């Protein structure tokens, strides 16, 4: 029996345990609605072109500031049109694509960077650990919106920088979790046993420690993702995130702010979408956390 | 005990100074990495002589290490450079905005505590009741709604439709009301959640049963026994939320045209008035360090055991 066989067996049992646990539990109506909304959001983000009745920049200056169809406006514009005669519904759909795309990429960046740094800190200990933890403390103590604004001020705005910047928000949470989990698993017998068999530490982490972490990391994602959406939409709302002609949910709300008195429908739908999305992820996160940690559930009930 | 307190204080102080140094290093690094500071910090039409004077003032002709220390020196003296918008020292421009932000922040923090803590306590005391469910649902909503969207909804309702409150500006308590509510909502939600779970933990502790057995009235049990013990995690979260309030102030001040630091920062960023931007950043870093220090000291005061624990962890 080689060391590879041994680790394969362990992996199969451990890797997706958290998924089976979630799968087996019955979601309530509210959770069902949350899942439905999030599926809808992802679907829209993927197929915005096919769904949207108009292009996001398609102007029609004769049809400016049309109220939504349900308020007696033209039936051509379900949610009305904005100050340049652009269809609000289409713009919201395209904005969902941008905002979700940025949020997903940023979450992946933050989770990866944070988890890797956390593992590195726990593996090497000593000064490496100290340096990383000082960075974690620094990150946690500064309001990130401010840091992001500063970097955008110094470097100017571009899409790649924006995504990377938003991605670096929240890495400290993942780092702290990963570090703690690695420190505790390293003390456990199985990690020691595998290492004694001569398996490279990187492989031990990748095959055994990381899969074990996935449940906790997933919960952290559900906490981090809404905050990332809020960060991007805040920056765009301030006019310092996504730049026109591209759209983002925050940018739409920012544009709508100037027409609150006359045409509230320009901004409000985008705000509702942001709200429903962050709300759904938060509720879903709470629910997953309960399912993953039976101890926690006992305590709160 | 005394020695331990000093040790505790010094550790925390050292941490704060490291954070400040990191913030200054961060700004220095970003400033140098983004191009020639003379060109960025001065207006486009600055004369070559002014450029030269600027370079000399900031020691840009010297080595990076020397520059770094020169930079630290001037920042510590409070010299953040000159705002190119109105030619005044950045510190002066920033200082005149501080009162407005302090006013807004204090009002929001007050609302946070006055709403968040009682809501959390009542939810915990009446666990499973409609009060609890209502509070918890409220906290999830309060936490999920983007503060700028909440601000806009409030403006739509109270300024545009009902015409009760002014939508922007400053001066009276009516001007302060909506921005403070908007800014405080998310924090109040967080505080309520933490207070609830912290109270639930404490209410199950044996000493609470003892207190009940001793015949202490429910009111005194909650106020004298449960609340002080439940306060410790809540203090941490309040400290953390102050960072959130500062970040939130940036968007809220923009929504309500509130003439504070946040609005100044947003304008400075759009106009690339970098002297002001770096001044605001460093000032906020300083604020956060002081807040964290206060939180740590409050800990030690609320629970003397914490410093012993901390010391053990530090030497382990």
């Amino acid at each position: 029996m080689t060391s590879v066989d041994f680790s394969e067996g362990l992996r199969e049992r451990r890797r997706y345990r958290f998924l089976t646990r979630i799968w087996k539990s019955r979601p309530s109506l509210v959770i069902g609605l949350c899942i439905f909304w999030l599926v809808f959001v992802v679907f829209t983000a993927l197929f915005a072109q096919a769904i949207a009745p108009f292009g996001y920049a398609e102007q029609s200056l004769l049809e400016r500031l049309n109220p939504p169809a349900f308020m007696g406006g033209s039936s051509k514009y379900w949610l009305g049109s904005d100050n340049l005669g652009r269809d609000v519904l289409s713009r919201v759909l395209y904005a969902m694509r941008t905002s979700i795309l940025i949020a997903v990429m940023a979450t992946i960046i933050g989770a990866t960077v944070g988890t890797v740094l956390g593992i590195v800190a726990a593996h090497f200990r000593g000064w490496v650990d100290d340096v990383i933890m000082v960075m974690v403390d620094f990150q946690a103590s500064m309001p990130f919106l401010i840091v992001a604004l500063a970097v955008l001020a110094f470097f100017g705005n571009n899409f790649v920088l924006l995504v990377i910047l938003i991605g670096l928000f929240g890495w400290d949470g993942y780092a702290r979790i990963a570090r703690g989990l690695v420190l505790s698993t390293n003390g456990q017998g199985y990690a020691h046993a595998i290492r004694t068999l001569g398996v490279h530490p990187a492989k031990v982490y990748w095959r055994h420690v990381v899969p074990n972490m996935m449940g906790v990391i997933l919960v952290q994602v559900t906490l981090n993702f809404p905050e990332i959406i809020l960060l991007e939409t805040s920056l765009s709302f301030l006019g310092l995130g996504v730049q026109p002609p591209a759209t983002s949910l925050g940018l739409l709300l920012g544009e709508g702010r100037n027409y609150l008195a006359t045409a509230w429908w320009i901004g409000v739908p985008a705000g509702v979408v942001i709200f429903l999305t962050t709300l759904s992820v938060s509720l879903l996160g709470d629910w997953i956390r309960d399912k993953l940690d039976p101890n926690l559930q006992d305590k709160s009930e | 005990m005394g020695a331990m307190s000093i040790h505790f204080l010094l550790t925390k102080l050292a941490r704060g100074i490291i954070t400040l140094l990191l913030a200054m290093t961060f700004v220095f690094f970003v400033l140098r990495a983004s191009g020639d500071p003379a060109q960025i910090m001065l207006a486009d039409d600055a004369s070559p002589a002014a450029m030269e004077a600027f370079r000399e003032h900031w020691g840009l002709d010297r080595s990076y290490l020397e520059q770094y220390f020169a930079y630290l020196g001037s920042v510590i003296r409070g010299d953040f450079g000159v705002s190119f918008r109105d030619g005044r020292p950045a510190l002066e421009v920033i200082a005149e905005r501080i009162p407005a932000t302090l006013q807004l922040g204090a009002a929001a923090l007050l609302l946070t505590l006055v709403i968040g803590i009682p809501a959390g306590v009542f939810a915990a005391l009446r666990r499973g009741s409609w009060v609890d469910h209502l509070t918890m649902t409220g906290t999830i909503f309060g936490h999920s709604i983007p503060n700028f969207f909440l601000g806009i909804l409030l403006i739509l309702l109270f300024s545009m439709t009902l015409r009760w409150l002014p939508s922007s500006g400053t001066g009276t308590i009516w001007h302060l009301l909506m921005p403070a509510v908007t800014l405080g909502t998310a924090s109040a939600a967080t505080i309520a959640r933490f207070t609830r779970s912290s109270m639930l933990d404490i209410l199950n502790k044996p000493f609470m049963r003892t207190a009940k057995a001793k015949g202490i009235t429910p009111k005194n049990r909650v106020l004298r026994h449960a609340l002080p013990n439940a306060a410790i995690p809540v203090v941490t979260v309040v400290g953390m939320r102050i960072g959130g309030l500062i970040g939130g102030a940036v968007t809220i001040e923009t929504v309500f045209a509130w003439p504070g630091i946040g609005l100044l920062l947003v304008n400075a960023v759009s106009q690339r008035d970098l002297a002001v931007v770096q001044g605001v950043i460093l000032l906020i870093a300083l604020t956060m360090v002081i807040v964290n220090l206060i939180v740590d000291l409050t800990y030690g005061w609320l629970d003397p055991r914490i410093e012993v624990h901390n010391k053990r962890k530090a030497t382990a």
Side-chain angles (χ1 to χ4, degrees):
Chain A
M1 177 169 158
T2 65
S3 61
V4 177
D5 286 335
F6 177 53
S7 56
E8 286 293 331
L10 262 179
R11 183 181 64 160
E12 286 315 311
R13 255 191 302 138
R14 290 181 179 275
R15 180 167 277 181
Y16 297 114
R17 205 166 49 183
F18 71 99
L19 283 181
T20 23
R21 205 182 284 164
I22 294 169
W23 182 250
K24 276 183 189 158
S25 49
R26 242 169 253 246
S28 66
L29 178 66
V30 176
I31 296 301
L33 285 174
C34 290
I35 294 173
F36 176 79
W37 172 257
L38 290 176
V39 169
F40 170 73
V41 167
V42 171
F43 183 77
T44 311
L46 291 175
F47 304 106
Q49 281 142 302
I51 308 170
F54 296 87
Y56 65 92
E58 204 177 314
Q59 302 180 6
S60 157
L61 292 175
L62 293 175
E63 303 275 5
R64 290 186 307 152
L65 300 176
N66 251 320
F70 59 84
M71 281 173 64
S74 153
S75 60
K76 238 165 79 186
Y77 305 107
W78 285 12
L79 292 178
S81 62
D82 71 3
N83 53 316
L84 294 172
R86 295 173 296 192
D87 178 43
V88 173
L89 176 66
S90 303
R91 284 178 67 72
V92 168
L93 295 176
Y94 277 102
M96 283 163 80
R97 159 180 286 184
T98 318
S99 290
I100 296 300
L101 180 74
I102 294 180
V104 168
M105 288 195 293
T107 307
I108 293 172
I109 293 175
T112 313
V113 170
T115 310
V116 169
L117 283 178
I119 294 175
V120 167
H123 180 76
F124 291 104
R125 304 302 313 265
W127 67 269
V128 178
D129 192 13
D130 287 339
V131 167
I132 292 177
M133 288 322 282
V134 165
M135 277 159 58
V136 164
D137 283 347
F138 177 66
Q139 170 98 15
S141 67
M142 278 298 281
F144 194 75
L145 182 65
I146 311 272
V147 177
L149 282 176
V151 173
L152 291 173
F154 288 122
F155 286 105
N157 192 303
N158 71 68
F159 190 76
V160 177
L161 178 67
L162 186 69
V163 172
I164 293 174
L165 199 57
I166 297 174
L168 289 182
F169 171 62
W171 71 271
D172 53 309
Y174 297 102
R176 212 169 257 167
I177 290 172
R179 178 177 175 274
L181 288 174
V182 169
L183 285 180
S184 72
T185 27
N186 275 353
Q188 275 172 25
Y190 83 91
H192 186 69
I194 301 165
R195 211 164 293 140
T196 316
L197 287 169
V199 181
H200 192 271
K203 200 170 167 188
V204 179
Y205 288 125
W206 178 245
R207 286 246 169 120
H208 305 282
V209 179
V210 171
N212 265 324
M213 277 181 196
M214 287 315 259
V216 188
I217 300 275
L218 185 72
V219 170
Q220 181 64 20
V221 167
T222 64
L223 294 172
N224 184 218
F225 189 80
E227 290 182 342
I228 281 187
I229 291 206
L230 291 183
L231 177 66
E232 182 271 315
T233 49
S234 299
L235 283 171
S236 301
F237 175 78
L238 295 172
L240 302 165
V242 174
Q243 297 296 315
T247 60
S248 126
L249 292 170
L251 192 64
L252 285 185
L253 197 50
E255 288 170 358
R257 190 166 77 90
N258 303 324
Y259 295 89
L260 279 187
T262 47
W264 57 265
W265 57 85
I266 297 177
V268 170
V272 172
V273 170
I274 303 172
F275 176 48
L276 287 179
T277 308
T278 50
L279 184 69
S280 301
V281 178
S282 297
L283 287 171
L284 204 60
D286 268 6
W287 179 74
I288 291 177
R289 195 167 44 211
D290 282 354
K291 293 298 158 203
L292 283 180
D293 190 351
N295 295 328
L296 209 77
Q297 204 175 12
D298 290 345
K299 226 194 231 170
S300 68
E301 257 156 36
Chain B
M1 179 75 200
M4 228 172 258
S5 296
I6 290 166
H7 176 91
F8 178 74
L9 191 68
L10 286 181
T11 318
K12 295 296 171 189
L13 215 58
R15 278 229 136 139
I17 291 170
I18 289 175
T19 306
L20 277 180
L21 261 176
L22 269 178
M24 288 192 270
T25 311
F26 169 78
V27 172
F28 175 82
F29 175 75
V30 173
L31 202 61
R32 290 298 177 279
S34 59
D36 181 2
Q39 251 164 23
I40 296 175
M41 299 285 276
L42 297 176
D44 288 339
D45 53 352
S47 65
M51 291 264 214
E52 213 39 61
F54 180 88
R55 288 208 179 95
E56 204 168 304
H57 175 71
W58 290 88
L60 294 179
D61 39 2
R62 281 173 281 163
S63 75
Y64 277 112
L65 202 67
E66 279 176 285
Q67 284 185 36
Y68 177 64
F69 285 108
Y71 174 79
L72 289 190
S74 42
V75 165
I76 289 168
R77 283 195 306 272
D79 178 2
F80 297 115
V82 173
S83 159
F84 75 70
R85 252 177 76 215
D86 46 11
R88 289 185 298 149
L91 193 63
E92 198 181 307
V93 177
I94 297 167
E96 66 189 23
R97 300 292 196 109
I98 291 176
T101 295
L102 272 186
Q103 193 187 16
L104 176 61
L109 187 62
L110 190 73
L111 272 172
T112 298
L113 299 177
V114 167
I115 295 171
I117 292 178
V121 170
F122 278 115
L125 291 177
R126 306 256 177 280
R127 180 161 59 157
S129 71
W130 63 269
V131 181
D132 188 15
H133 288 304
L134 194 73
T135 313
M136 285 301 102
T137 313
T139 60
I140 289 178
F141 275 76
H143 196 75
S144 301
I145 192 161
N147 55 18
F148 48 90
F149 183 47
L150 179 63
I152 282 178
L153 289 182
L154 290 179
I155 290 179
L156 271 177
L157 180 62
F158 292 107
S159 303
M160 305 287 175
T161 313
L162 298 171
R163 299 187 177 277
W164 287 353
L165 294 169
S167 69
S168 66
T170 159
T172 67
I173 188 141
W174 303 114
H175 287 92
L176 183 61
L177 196 58
M178 279 202 295
V181 168
T182 312
L183 184 53
T185 299
S187 304
T190 314
I191 300 295
R193 274 184 93 103
F194 269 87
T195 308
R196 176 180 178 271
S197 66
S198 180
M199 276 296 278
L200 285 178
D201 269 355
I202 297 295
L203 290 175
N204 289 328
K205 289 270 157 75
F207 68 78
M208 287 307 293
R209 222 175 327 148
T210 311
K212 193 173 183 180
K214 284 199 316 198
I216 299 173
T217 60
K219 189 181 138 205
N220 272 342
R221 281 209 305 274
V222 171
L223 290 181
R224 294 261 170 86
H225 294 245
L227 214 52
N229 282 296
I232 294 160
V234 175
V235 169
T236 324
V237 181
V238 171
M240 279 162 55
R241 281 313 307 178
I242 289 180
L245 286 179
I246 294 177
V250 175
T251 38
I252 298 303
E253 287 182 4
T254 308
V255 171
F256 292 99
W258 187 265
I261 299 277
L263 192 59
L264 176 71
L265 178 65
V266 170
N267 290 335
V269 168
S270 359
Q271 296 161 341
R272 289 178 60 106
D273 190 350
L274 299 189
V276 172
V277 174
Q278 66 157 344
V280 172
I281 302 283
L282 295 176
L283 198 75
I284 290 173
L286 180 67
T287 314
M288 290 311 299
V289 165
I290 293 173
V291 167
N292 285 335
L293 213 57
I294 294 174
V295 167
D296 285 330
L297 293 180
T298 319
Y299 271 175
W301 175 68
L302 279 172
D303 185 354
R305 282 169 305 180
I306 285 177
E307 48 189 311
V308 180
H309 176 72
N310 222 312
K311 169 140 198 215
R312 239 183 247 141
K313 219 167 62 186
T315 49

